[in-house]
Amino acid sequence: MADVTRETMEYDVVIVGAGPAGLSAAIRLKQLDADLEVVVLEKGSEVGAHILSGAVLDPVGLDALIPDWKAKGAPLNVPVTEDKFYMLGEAGQVRIPNFPMPPLMNNHGNYIVSMGNVCRWMAEQAEELGVEIFPGMACSELVYGDSGEVKGVVAGVFGLEEDGSIGENTEPGMELHGKYVFLSEGVRGSLSKEVIAKYNLDADSEPQKYGLGMKEIWEIDPEKHREGSVTHTMGWPLGGNAGGGSFIYHLENNQVYVGFVVHLNYKNPHLFPYMEFQRFKHHPMVAELLKGGKRVAYGARAITEGGYQSMPKMVAPGVALLGCSVGMVNVPRIKGNHNAMLSGKAAAEAAYAAIQDGRASDELSSYETEVRTGAIGQDLKKVRNVKPLWSKRGLVASLTLGGFDMWTNTLGFSLLGTMKHGKSDAEATEPAADHAPIDYPKPDGKLSFDRLTNVAFSFTNHEESQPAHLKLKDASVPVAKNLPTYAGPSQRYCPAGVYEYVQEADKDARFVINFQNCVHCKTCDIKDPAQNIVWTTPQGGDGPNYPNM
Ligand SMILES: Cc1cc2nc3c(=O)[nH]c(=O)nc-3n(C[C@H](O)[C@H](O)[C@H](O)COP(=O)(O)OP(=O)(O)OC[C@H]3O[C@@H](n4cnc5c(N)ncnc54)[C@H](O)[C@@H]3O)c2cc1C
């Protein structure tokens, strides 16, 4: 849509994404100067619609941003009361005591929350301060200035024809220009990916690593519900096939978040992350908890796992990357929301100071310094070797050596230095012929569900007549390469059943993209071995409609 003329709106700061990072930045900017013009653009139909976290929230970010959040009614209602960690075998479990764990792993003082609801509340705070928030506005393009700086975004393109061309009903969107553009798109942001590539921001960092997180909300028997209880497990069913584990968080109203994360650096392309999650719920300990309950929502989202050594440079002329667009998850704690908030606050402070000095469209290097040397960098540095140890030496080494390393880091040193991650998750995939297929039990419809039934519980919706937002760089690769070499892994790694190979008698296999099912997790963009699938934004308002994830 290069030769389209669009309306332009000018702001001080344009923020892409109303997650904890983007909303924190917006709030902090207006706290510092009520006259700043700040806009937040969100692709979800409402703030929170695309937010999926565990979530146990460490309130350190909120404390720094809105110290009186309690008085202001923030939805942090369930303090963590018990914190258990189990190693699972197929038929039983062993509890790992809390005492050998470094203090940073302690969940006391944290809250079980719906991050969707926290973001909805943060949006109210931002709007009260005068921030303009536009949900249903996907930012589909970056706008560059004459010197190559990022000067804005294109948002609100609707009604493209199925082939991507402009039709009678096309609304071309508008350009929103800012002195600074903040990309707070979360994990594997589509515009963030473009900025990282254009300015070579990852030249000096390790490849980003990811997991796929899947989550269901269950309403369970009140007798079994223990508000405030937090459980994590490792081991079965993944065993040696992949890193990962589960979380079970008891929130309010007899509800429980049941989640499962599979590290995306698994080698065996026969692995089916969604079915691993379904199988997990049949473990006796989990089945007993869920029996008699009902699943009320389902969703999935990738999670950044590269940590400290994978953070790319996060500023370029006119633009800054925030939160999980950089990758700020503390992997052993499975927490990134607190760092997302702190990064939003830091970016806002850097932009405010720059604008006060009459600057615009340059690099906010003080933001990057604060992230690397301040609370975020310190949080991530202590745990930087846990993930590489897990990838290279397995679960036991990550628990023992990784635990030891976290202890020494807490005391200020590491015997391991900073370990490298090595390959990207796409490169980690090995040919199907080198691995045995995995036999997954059929879902029983009570504890476990087939994928398409579960996708209906993400309430995802995409206008069918628009072009598919999942693009292939080369349309021949799925059938010519991925099917024979990797047994068509997208059929399995996608947690929403978007990809399928259709085999009709006497015909070649066909690759079908059911983009309508997409829950915006971004796993295909990450894990496709040929890096041939590109996730782009569909029109605004499309995608999942998570209730209180
Ligand atoms: C399964 C799972 C469990 C987790 N558990 C926890 C936990 O218990 N505790 C914890 O602290 N962290 C947890 N995390 C990590 C946490 O979710 C992230 O660290 C956090 O969401 C990062 O915040 P963010 O603001 O950077 O991005 P996000 O929260 O992802 O928000 C990004 C927002 O930007 C919007 N957006 C993206 N691209 C565009 C675009 N182009 N145009 C317009 N809008 C756009 C998205 O729709 C979204 O609303 C978990 C993650 C997963 C996947």
Side-chain angles (χ1 to χ4, degrees):
M1 293 184 71
D3 26 341
V4 167
T5 313
R6 297 186 173 98
E7 241 179 80
T8 302
M9 291 174 80
E10 300 290 335
Y11 290 89
D12 289 303
V13 181
V14 173
I15 301 176
V16 178
L23 290 168
S24 299
I27 290 169
R28 188 67 187 140
L29 281 161
K30 291 297 255 185
Q31 285 172 340
L32 290 165
D33 183 350
D35 292 333
L36 287 174
E37 300 287 345
V38 180
V39 67
V40 180
L41 302 151
E42 167 55 48
K43 67 180 163 62
S45 59
E46 54 152 352
V47 172
H50 291 184
I51 295 293
L52 186 133
S53 271
V56 172
L57 179 67
D58 178 342
V60 64
L62 208 50
D63 287 343
L65 186 72
I66 307 178
D68 56 345
W69 54 261
K70 243 182 209 157
K72 289 196 157 126
L76 277 65
N77 305 323
V78 181
V80 175
T81 51
E82 63 175 13
D83 195 4
K84 294 181 181 164
F85 189 85
Y86 292 97
M87 185 63 72
L88 301 190
E90 185 164 0
Q93 67 278 345
V94 175
R95 179 159 178 202
I96 301 190
N98 293 29
F99 72 84
M101 307 228 191
L104 64 90
M105 294 297 287
N106 193 334
N107 266 317
H108 287 96
N110 298 332
Y111 293 82
I112 300 174
V113 297
S114 152
M115 272 315 290
N117 287 346
V118 170
C119 287
R120 290 177 185 105
W121 176 83
M122 288 178 78
E124 282 167 23
Q125 306 307 305
E127 281 179 331
E128 273 173 28
L129 292 168
V131 175
E132 288 178 40
I133 302 183
F134 298 127
M137 291 286 271
C139 301
S140 48
E141 285 176 48
L142 289 161
V143 180
Y144 295 99
D146 295 339
S147 317
E149 78 284 9
V150 173
K151 74 169 190 190
V153 294
V154 173
V157 178
F158 289 94
L160 286 174
E161 297 290 297
E162 234 173 300
D163 63 359
S165 62
I166 294 173
E168 260 178 28
N169 298 321
T170 303
E171 291 173 33
M174 53 175 60
E175 286 191 13
L176 297 105
H177 295 176
K179 293 180 179 134
Y180 294 99
V181 174
F182 288 174
L183 297 180
S184 41
E185 300 176 285
V187 55
R188 199 72 165 194
S190 44
L191 301 182
S192 310
K193 192 175 153 190
E194 179 178 325
V195 161
I196 291 170
K198 179 175 165 74
Y199 298 101
N200 214 5
L201 298 182
D202 56 357
D204 299 321
S205 56
E206 282 288 289
Q208 185 54 268
K209 306 295 285 182
Y210 302 89
L212 166 60
M214 294 154 286
K215 180 175 158 190
E216 293 171 354
I217 306 181
W218 279 72
E219 274 167 21
I220 63 162
D221 178 353
E223 297 275 299
K224 299 178 193 168
H225 189 256
R226 297 189 309 277
E227 191 169 296
S229 168
V230 164
T231 298
H232 290 107
T233 75
M234 287 183 184
W236 191 85
L238 289 171
N241 283 333
S246 82
F247 56 87
I248 302 175
Y249 303 152
H250 292 238
L251 59 157
E252 300 141 289
N253 303 325
N254 298 318
Q255 290 197 327
V256 178
Y257 291 137
V258 183
F260 200 78
V261 176
V262 177
H263 296 181
L264 285 174
N265 59 357
Y266 62 82
K267 296 176 184 166
N268 181 351
H270 296 294
L271 192 106
F272 197 153
Y274 174 82
M275 293 305 285
E276 296 286 346
F277 175 32
Q278 297 308 304
R279 187 150 74 151
F280 156 75
K281 289 180 285 170
H282 287 272
H283 186 277
M285 183 179 90
V286 186
E288 178 49 35
L289 176 74
L290 301 181
K291 214 162 63 188
K294 70 170 184 204
R295 169 269 280 113
V296 293
Y298 165 76
R301 183 89 164 100
I303 178 168
T304 55
E305 293 187 340
Y308 189 73
Q309 54 274 58
S310 295
M311 286 197 292
K313 186 176 173 210
M314 52 204 90
V315 292
V319 66
L321 307 179
L322 276 55
C324 278
S325 289
V326 176
M328 297 183 178
V329 171
N330 180 317
V331 173
R333 298 180 75 203
I334 337 179
K335 286 186 187 61
N337 287 308
H338 61 300
N339 285 338
M341 290 179 185
L342 290 171
S343 79
K345 178 171 176 286
E349 286 166 1
Y352 165 73
I355 292 168
Q356 288 287 98
D357 285 353
R359 287 165 45 201
S361 301
D362 56 1
E363 291 193 5
L364 292 171
S365 47
S366 62
Y367 162 59
E368 171 131 9
T369 306
E370 170 58 27
V371 170
R372 291 191 188 276
T373 60
I376 300 171
Q378 286 160 26
D379 184 50
L380 297 180
K381 197 170 179 190
K382 286 189 195 124
V383 301
R384 68 194 181 281
N385 290 323
V386 173
K387 168 80 181 179
L389 277 168
W390 198 337
S391 311
K392 289 179 181 159
R393 309 249 177 98
L395 173 59
V396 176
S398 108
L399 281 175
T400 49
L401 262 180
F404 177 72
D405 194 58
M406 282 196 281
W407 265 113
T408 60
N409 272 299
T410 307
L411 302 172
F413 68 99
S414 168
L415 299 175
L416 301 174
T418 299
M419 294 179 70
K420 292 183 182 303
H421 292 300
K423 290 179 186 167
S424 72
D425 293 335
E427 289 163 343
T429 318
E430 293 180 349
D434 298 347
H435 294 273
I438 304 172
D439 199 15
Y440 291 99
K442 220 168 141 355
D444 69 355
K446 292 182 187 131
L447 288 177
S448 48
F449 310 98
D450 69 70
R451 207 168 25 177
L452 290 185
T453 304
N454 237 355
V455 169
F457 284 79
S458 71
F459 312 103
T460 199
N461 176 51
H462 289 84
E463 173 62 49
E464 305 230 352
S465 58
Q466 65 184 310
H469 65 281
L470 300 153
K471 316 260 183 226
L472 298 177
K473 289 184 197 161
D474 177 345
S476 72
V477 166
V479 170
K481 186 169 175 201
N482 284 353
L483 188 57
T485 311
Y486 302 104
S490 55
Q491 303 173 95
R492 293 175 292 281
Y493 62 59
C494 172
V498 166
Y499 301 101
E500 58 177 325
Y501 287 87
V502 176
Q503 185 74 69
E504 287 157 335
D506 303 327
K507 288 193 179 157
D508 288 339
R510 258 184 324 118
F511 186 61
V512 177
I513 302 178
N514 302 302
F515 73 89
Q516 301 83 348
N517 292 353
C518 179
V519 292
H520 297 199
C521 74
K522 318 273 176 86
T523 301
C524 51
D525 194 287
I526 296 163
K527 185 63 178 167
D528 178 50
Q531 285 295 275
N532 186 49
I533 301 177
V534 182
W535 194 98
T536 65
T537 46
Q539 66 183 33
D542 284 3
N545 284 287
Y546 294 137
N548 57 335
M549 287 287 202

